[in-house]
Amino acid sequence: SMNRELVVEKLTAEKFKKFGDVVEPKDNPLLINKNKCERHNDLAFLQVSNCGHLGVSIFSSEKYTLPFQLLLMERHPLGSQCFIPMSEEPFLVIVSADKDGCPDRPSAFITNGKQGINYKQNIWHSVLTPLSENTLFTVIDRIGPGKNVEEYIFDQPWLVRSLL
């Protein structure tokens, strides 16, 4: 049988590129407000289709502990979904390429505590997976008509066991 254990890697923009954007400060910010503020500009490509609009929400999820069994992934066919942590706590980011309308073998990443992420439209991802209690996230995603969530449950779970 296929190895169903996922090793968690450090999140980098390069490794995450095909799934979306890592939202973090860049090397060349603009200086604004009489040089008292750095503006790190245009960090995520936000997508909305089918008469929706971008909304800002706050999510609060229960804490996850490793190891855990990954059974469920989801995707949003009508827009991107951006998560910005409101505290400096690392969280897990689990994504998968599509294979014949289902998620392929997932990749698991951990943020450095100062990174947010933006899932591209229609990218398979796990639910919000914080590793600390009472973590709040600002979420920027599509609000509007139509069914914008598709869920997939694996026949056998993936074991998310270890951090690199």
Side-chain angles (χ1 to χ4, degrees), residues 9-24:
E9 304 176 65
K10 285 188 170 132
L11 180 69
T12 67
E14 186 59 32
K15 289 180 190 164
F16 198 68
K17 193 165 50 178
K18 66 182 172 209
F19 305 110
D21 310 299
V22 176
V23 182
E24 61 189 341

Side-chain angles (χ1 to χ4, degrees), residues 29-154:
L30 299 169
L31 284 175
I32 61 170
N33 299 350
K34 299 204 181 295
N35 295 338
K36 291 188 182 298
C37 180
E38 292 182 352
R39 178 175 171 143
H40 298 266
N41 212 27
D42 200 20
L43 301 177
F45 184 70
L46 303 175
Q47 299 164 289
V48 179
S49 58
N50 289 38
C51 302
H53 69 272
L54 286 174
V56 175
S57 307
I58 292 178
F59 285 18
S60 175
S61 171
E62 286 185 22
K63 170 186 173 180
Y64 286 73
T65 53
L66 294 171
F68 81 93
Q69 294 196 332
L70 174 70
L71 267 170
L72 171 72
M73 294 192 89
E74 62 180 29
R75 64 181 176 179
H76 307 288
L78 303 179
S80 56
Q81 191 173 49
C82 185
F83 289 84
I84 313 277
M86 296 172 74
S87 60
E88 291 189 14
E89 301 291 343
F91 65 101
L92 286 179
V93 178
I94 304 170
V95 286
S96 176
D98 184 75
K99 186 177 184 181
D100 304 322
C102 304
D104 203 354
R105 181 185 177 91
S107 299
F109 300 100
I110 188 164
T111 68
N112 63 15
K114 296 185 177 188
Q115 294 166 308
I117 50 99
N118 180 52
Y119 298 116
K120 290 179 184 174
Q121 185 168 319
N122 224 26
I123 286 291
W124 291 108
H125 61 88
S126 80
V127 299
L128 181 59
T129 314
L131 300 173
S132 308
E133 294 291 354
N134 306 318
T135 316
L136 296 178
F137 290 82
T138 300
V139 180
I140 306 162
D141 66 356
R142 181 190 177 278
I143 309 288
K147 184 171 174 2
N148 191 27
V149 66
E150 184 181 341
E151 292 184 340
Y152 183 87
I153 296 173
F154 292 107

